[in-house]
């Protein structure tokens, strides 16, 4: 790091802030965000160039002092209680052009499916009303339009709204959801992720725009166990695709694979890598899978993607309470619904209903600044399951095949009780239907 110190707010002969420490970050093999900021600063015909110049000046000053000089405040658009992250500079006298640098969080389309026309439109709007600086996408999943003045915040939002975009969540609310690219482009997908996402968000969008929860609650949707949106540890409500029947095997493709890679490679990279030893290779180069032992980790399917694919009886598992890091430490989502069919509109309605029940429980029972995983940790899983009217199920596992959190000192007895409860429930439903 350079030890060149600059005077607070020092500029060169062209009026650009001198930034020796930031310049260091442009060295090395990776793209640098500093280069991006400078590109915006040097866009001579753009109205935001002076703002970006002062932004760079303030950032250099922050690096020098090892302190951020932004403070929050209240900025919002009509009818909304969240979605804008206000930032006011504490050193505005030295960097007046960037004294207000607010961020608009805008909800992306489910699965981040854009076309270039709409992307150009979004860029044009932000060049007119903001700094030109956009992050696709922030941690929450939103498109982050960074750097608007207080006055332009409403104007930019109105334009985004006209082209069909809405603000996302910020604060103690239902947050913007994320789904993987999904069935539209991925053969591993086990349900319609986009439909599941939109179903929940559209129904409860009011809880996104007007924060009224004890703390944030996030929804993420992955189509399979590869979990491309990291739902298991980033979402309070994770929906992850899976299947109940057998993995589909094309033995001809297995043979092709072995012809290309060899038996040793296949054993080393597929058979031995199965976490539950469910895969075996026969002498005649066919593959066998003990599907009862398979935990749907996706490894063998990922490696032999022409030969293997998820079964036909598809659906999703729901895990509640994931987040890293919480006050109680990192938490993976807890398996609460081991399998839910998501084929019909009715199935999707059930999912939306369940999401509503979870949020109601959260709103009623969580303490201030407590995520639902912490609430469950505090009150205990049995109390949570009882509150949600969910029967304990041996398929609710902490760690595949080793720690079902249904008591297992006499597993057979517990399993029998479970099947009896299931039978009784089915009988009740039949009576109700009649
Ligand atoms: Fe084994 Fe995972 Fe393949 Fe199942 S999906 S058979 S657990 S490697």
């Amino acid at each position: 790091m350079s030890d060149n110190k600059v005077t607070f707010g020092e500029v060169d002969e062209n009026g650009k802030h001198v930034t020796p420490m930031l310049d260091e970050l442009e060295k090395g093999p990776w793209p640098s965000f500093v280069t991006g900021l400078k590109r915006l600063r040097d866009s001579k015909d753009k109205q935001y160039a002076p703002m970006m110049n002062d932004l760079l000046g303030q950032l250099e000053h922050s690096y020098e002092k090892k302190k951020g000089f932004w403070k929050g405040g209240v900025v919002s658009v009509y009818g909304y209680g969240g979605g804008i992250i206000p930032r006011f500079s504490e050193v505005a006298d030295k960097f007046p052009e960037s004294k207000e640098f607010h961020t608009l969080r805008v909800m992306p389309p489910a699965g981040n499916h854009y076309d270039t026309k709409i992307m150009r439109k979004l860029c044009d709007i932000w060049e007119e009303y903001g700094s030109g600086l956009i992050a696709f996408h922030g941690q929450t999943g939103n498109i982050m339009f960074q750097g608007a003045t207080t006055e332009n915040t409403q104007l930019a939002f109105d334009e985004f709204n006209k082209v069909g975009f809405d603000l996302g969540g910020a604060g103690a609310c239902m947050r913007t959801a994320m789904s993987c690219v999904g069935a539209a482009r991925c053969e591993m997908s086990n349900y319609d992720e986009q439909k599941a996402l939109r179903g929940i968000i559209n129904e409860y969008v009011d809880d996104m725009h007007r924060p009224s929860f004890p703390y944030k609650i996030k929804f993420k949707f992955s189509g399979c166990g590869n979990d491309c949106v990291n739902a298991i540890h980033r979402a309070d409500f994770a929906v992850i695709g899976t299947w109940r029947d057998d993995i589909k095997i094309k033995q001809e493709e297995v043979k092709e694979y072995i012809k290309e890679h060899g038996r040793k490679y296949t054993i080393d990279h597929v058979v031995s890598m199965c976490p539950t030893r469910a895969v075996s290779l026969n002498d005649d180069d066919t593959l066998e899978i003990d599907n009862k032992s398979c935990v749907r980790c996706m490894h063998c399917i990922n490696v032999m993607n022409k030969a293997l694919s998820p079964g036909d009886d598809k659906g999703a598992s729901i895990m509640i309470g994931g987040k890293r890091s919480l006050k109680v430490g990192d938490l993976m989502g807890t398996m609460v619904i081991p399998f839910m069919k998501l084929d019909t509109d009715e199935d999707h309605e059930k999912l939306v209903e369940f999401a509503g029940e979870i949020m109601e429980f959260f709103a009623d029972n969580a303490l201030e600044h407590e995520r639902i995983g912490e609430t469950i940790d505090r009150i205990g899983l049995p109390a949570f399951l009882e509150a949600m009217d969910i029967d304990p199920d041996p398929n609710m596992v902490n760690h595949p095949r080793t720690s079902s959190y249904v008591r297992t000192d006499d597993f057979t007895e517990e399993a029998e009780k479970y099947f009896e409860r299931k039978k009784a429930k089915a009988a009740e439903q039949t009576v109700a239907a009649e």
Side-chain angles (χ1 to χ4, degrees):
M1 185 67 70
S2 163
D3 54 5
N4 289 343
K5 291 272 188 277
V6 293
T7 333
F8 188 17
E10 185 183 335
V11 291
D12 66 12
E13 65 281 7
N14 298 315
K16 293 178 190 174
H17 284 287
V18 183
T19 57
M21 294 180 92
L22 291 180
D23 297 348
E24 288 292 318
L25 299 179
E26 292 187 279
K27 297 174 185 167
W30 307 110
S32 165
F33 75 96
V34 175
T35 310
L37 295 180
K38 285 184 179 172
R39 196 163 49 231
L40 290 169
R41 175 197 66 187
D42 298 336
S43 320
K44 288 201 176 48
D45 51 334
K46 304 290 185 190
Q47 42 79 25
Y48 51 72
M51 183 189 223
M52 298 313 284
N53 186 30
D54 273 5
L55 182 82
L56 280 158
Q58 175 165 334
L59 193 57
E60 176 73 20
H61 182 54
S62 280
Y63 274 46
E64 215 179 297
K65 296 288 174 200
K66 300 189 176 70
K67 184 173 178 260
F69 290 97
W70 296 109
K71 60 184 172 187
V74 180
V75 177
S76 74
V77 296
Y78 291 117
Y80 287 68
I84 310 288
I85 323 261
R87 286 295 175 265
F88 294 92
S89 172
E90 289 175 338
V91 281
D93 53 330
K94 284 286 171 199
F95 308 103
E97 293 291 340
S98 59
K99 65 178 182 190
E100 293 162 357
F101 205 83
H102 314 313
T103 294
L104 273 79
R105 283 189 171 171
V106 171
M107 255 195 281
N112 296 341
H113 291 92
Y114 300 93
D115 62 22
T116 47
K117 198 170 147 210
I118 199 72
M119 285 203 134
R120 285 206 178 88
K121 187 77 207 156
L122 295 175
C123 293
D124 289 347
I125 294 172
W126 200 235
E127 291 210 336
E128 190 171 346
Y129 297 102
S131 69
L133 186 64
I134 309 174
F136 280 100
H137 302 84
Q139 270 286 349
T140 329
N142 289 294
I143 319 168
M144 307 288 277
F145 291 95
Q146 295 165 304
T149 60
T150 306
E151 191 190 348
N152 278 0
T153 302
Q154 178 74 49
L155 301 175
F157 168 69
D158 291 344
E159 291 304 312
F160 289 134
N161 223 212
K162 276 184 208 156
V163 292
F165 283 77
D166 195 2
L167 284 188
C173 64
M174 178 177 84
R175 290 297 190 89
T176 307
M178 270 187 94
S179 87
C180 63
V181 68
R185 292 184 56 199
C186 177
E187 67 267 32
M188 308 295 186
S189 162
N190 288 291
Y191 68 99
D192 186 340
E193 304 81 356
Q194 278 78 65
K195 183 171 173 155
L197 183 154
R198 285 261 61 96
I200 291 176
I201 297 304
N202 289 5
E203 179 70 24
Y204 303 112
V205 75
D206 201 38
D207 289 316
M208 181 179 291
H209 294 322
R210 280 159 280 277
S212 59
F213 289 143
Y215 200 23
K216 61 184 102 164
I217 182 160
K218 296 182 177 179
F219 290 75
K220 300 205 188 296
F221 304 82
S222 281
C224 73
N226 283 328
D227 195 8
C228 291
V229 292
N230 300 330
I232 184 76
H233 68 272
R234 284 178 60 211
D236 302 275
F237 190 108
V239 185
I240 301 183
T242 188
W243 63 95
R244 279 191 297 202
D245 55 347
D246 297 349
I247 290 182
K248 292 196 280 188
I249 309 177
K250 287 187 192 151
Q251 296 294 0
E252 282 318 303
E253 290 291 350
V254 173
K255 286 183 181 159
E256 280 302 310
Y257 185 90
I258 295 170
K259 216 192 283 171
E260 192 181 331
H261 296 89
R263 275 182 72 83
K264 181 171 168 20
Y265 183 94
T266 311
I267 290 168
D268 288 351
H269 291 83
V270 183
V271 178
S272 323
M273 298 298 277
C274 172
T276 54
R277 301 280 178 270
V279 185
S280 56
L281 190 61
N282 295 322
D283 291 342
D284 61 355
D285 285 354
T286 55
L287 202 74
E288 255 178 60
I289 294 178
D290 168 15
N291 283 280
K292 282 215 164 83
S293 298
C294 167
V295 289
R296 280 62 172 163
C297 80
M298 297 298 292
H299 175 74
C300 62
I301 301 179
N302 289 339
V303 180
M304 300 177 81
N305 47 29
K306 283 191 187 161
L308 305 175
S309 50
D312 289 322
D313 190 6
K314 298 170 194 280
S317 304
I318 299 177
M319 271 73 56
I320 305 292
K323 164 79 182 101
R324 83 168 303 272
S325 303
L326 293 168
K327 291 169 219 84
V328 296
D330 290 8
L331 284 182
M332 293 279 203
T334 297
M335 176 76 81
V336 165
I337 306 284
F339 190 84
M340 182 184 243
K341 275 303 247 186
L342 282 175
D343 290 343
T344 61
D345 287 349
E346 210 179 35
D347 296 335
H348 278 268
E349 274 163 29
K350 278 188 197 148
L351 177 71
V352 172
E353 216 174 280
F354 182 62
E357 284 164 14
I358 290 283
M359 283 193 282
E360 202 182 319
F361 168 85
F362 179 57
D364 290 348
N365 296 285
L367 302 177
E368 277 303 303
H369 222 263
E370 181 180 68
R371 299 282 285 267
I372 194 165
E374 291 166 310
T375 314
I376 297 173
D377 189 73
R378 178 169 55 80
I379 66 170
L381 192 63
F384 172 70
L385 292 179
E386 204 183 316
M388 298 308 303
D389 197 20
I390 298 171
D391 286 334
D393 175 338
N395 294 309
M396 294 171 179
V397 286
N398 257 349
H399 187 276
R401 300 201 70 74
T402 55
S403 53
S404 168
Y405 45 70
V406 172
R407 271 190 61 186
T408 53
D409 31 352
D410 187 345
F411 191 85
T412 319
E413 201 183 300
E414 286 300 328
E416 268 166 19
K417 278 194 221 156
Y418 162 70
F419 286 117
E420 261 166 36
R421 278 199 303 271
K422 225 174 155 184
K423 231 161 72 194
K425 210 168 195 177
E428 254 173 46
Q429 278 165 355
T430 321
V431 173
E434 283 165 8

